[in-house]
Amino acid sequence: MTTVSWTEGVAFVSRRRLPVRWLVLGPVALFALAILPGLSFGYSYRDLREAAPPETGPLPTAKQRRELDRLERRIAGQAPAGVYIVVDTLANRLYLKKGDRVLREAVCSTGTGGVLEDPATGRRWVFDTPRGAHQVQAKKKDPVWNKPDWAFVEEGLPIPKDPRERVDDASLGDYALYLGDGYLIHGTLYQRLLGRGVTHGCVRLGDADLEAVYKTAPVGTWVYIY
């Protein structure tokens, strides 16, 4: 390779080999110079990889496509028809849905998971919101709560013999949706506690959310609790 040197303004041309390290490091240096502007503007090798077109595999065969179509129809057939309700007891969120569309998302309260024992009889109650699939069995406006035995045991009161002493027409709010076995979706006097696991197993909603669910979900609506 020809090189040029200067001495007191006079150029001398000579032919000599470059060191091996320059032959190795030269391409590396050129590559570094090429990507340096990109790095200075925040680009990275990951950006280059992500910008590359995705790798494609072989296309499914006709038999595989028929099987995929069959599975999709089967899954779609198992989806609830019309409106349904989903309750996430971990996040304390209720979702009113229709198909894949969320009609309303609401903060709710669910069971504490606590245990209460009657010291007189030894009876025990576990305050969990029941997981699984349920249905709205009935709906009522201005519902009345017939307080169960545990409500009096919890307050340290004697269990009344007169059924009239069990009537509570304020605690359930303006609406209630009955899920069976004493579990309801209803309102609450303690709106500030929504979003926490504070109930005895029922699902509590704020006033506006409860009204929307009550008016949208008919009797027979599926309720999925997890």
Side-chain angles (χ1 to χ4, degrees), residues 92-93 104 106-110 170-175 186-199 203-211:
N92 280 303
R93 293 293 185 275
R104 194 177 188 96
V107 177
C108 65
S109 287
T110 53
S171 295
L172 299 184
D174 295 332
Y175 306 96
H186 63 80
T188 177
L189 298 173
Y190 307 102
Q191 306 269 332
R192 67 185 183 279
L193 297 180
L194 289 170
R196 305 182 189 180
V198 295
T199 81
V203 178
R204 297 179 186 171
L205 287 173
D207 295 340
D209 292 323
L210 178 63
E211 183 176 7

Side-chain angles (χ1 to χ4, degrees), residues 53-67:
E55 297 180 2
T56 57
L59 295 175
T61 64
K63 181 178 180 181
Q64 290 171 330
R65 285 198 297 270
R66 288 195 297 272
E67 180 65 15

Side-chain angles (χ1 to χ4, degrees), residues 11-39:
F12 294 90
V13 178
S14 63
R15 294 180 180 274
R16 60 182 178 181
R17 293 181 177 275
L18 288 175
V20 175
R21 64 177 179 272
W22 286 105
L23 296 177
V24 176
L25 297 177
V28 177
L30 290 174
F31 177 75
L33 290 174
I35 68 171
L36 184 60
L39 295 175

Side-chain angles (χ1 to χ4, degrees), residues 124-145:
R124 299 171 75 250
W125 295 270
V126 180
F127 298 130
D128 276 330
T129 298
R131 275 65 166 176
H134 311 268
Q135 281 185 287
V136 176
Q137 299 182 5
K139 296 167 52 175
K140 288 185 180 179
K141 188 178 185 300
D142 299 322
V144 173
W145 183 35

Side-chain angles (χ1 to χ4, degrees), residues 26-223:
V28 177
L30 290 174
F31 177 75
L33 290 174
I35 68 171
L36 184 60
L39 295 175
S40 65
F41 284 101
Y43 296 104
S44 66
Y45 178 64
R46 177 180 298 176
D47 297 312
L48 298 177
R49 284 179 58 86
E50 292 176 350
E55 297 180 2
T56 57
L59 295 175
T61 64
K63 181 178 180 181
Q64 290 171 330
R65 285 198 297 270
R66 288 195 297 272
E67 180 65 15
L68 288 173
D69 291 341
R70 186 186 69 81
L71 290 174
E72 288 178 356
R73 289 194 299 270
R74 183 177 177 184
I75 292 171
Q78 293 178 352
V83 173
Y84 62 99
I85 296 169
V86 178
V87 179
D88 180 348
T89 60
L90 182 62
N92 280 303
R93 293 293 185 275
L94 180 145
Y95 302 91
L96 181 65
K97 302 187 70 176
K98 185 173 185 179
D100 293 333
R101 187 159 56 100
V102 177
L103 303 179
R104 194 177 188 96
E105 177 180 349
V107 177
C108 65
S109 287
T110 53
T112 64
V115 178
L116 175 67
E117 183 171 341
D118 183 354
T121 64
R123 285 188 300 169
R124 299 171 75 250
W125 295 270
V126 180
F127 298 130
D128 276 330
T129 298
R131 275 65 166 176
H134 311 268
Q135 281 185 287
V136 176
Q137 299 182 5
K139 296 167 52 175
K140 288 185 180 179
K141 188 178 185 300
D142 299 322
V144 173
W145 183 35
N146 290 305
K147 297 173 68 174
D149 290 352
W150 58 256
F152 299 94
V153 173
E154 187 176 51
E155 296 177 6
L157 300 174
I159 297 174
K161 295 181 180 180
D162 186 348
R164 292 175 296 181
E165 296 181 31
R166 294 178 179 268
V167 174
D168 179 345
D169 59 2
S171 295
L172 299 184
D174 295 332
Y175 306 96
L177 296 85
Y178 294 79
L179 307 181
D181 296 327
Y183 295 102
L184 296 77
I185 299 173
H186 63 80
T188 177
L189 298 173
Y190 307 102
Q191 306 269 332
R192 67 185 183 279
L193 297 180
L194 289 170
R196 305 182 189 180
V198 295
T199 81
H200 298 91
C202 290
V203 178
R204 297 179 186 171
L205 287 173
D207 295 340
D209 292 323
L210 178 63
E211 183 176 7
V213 171
Y214 181 87
K215 290 182 176 180
T216 307
V219 171
T221 296
W222 283 100
V223 180

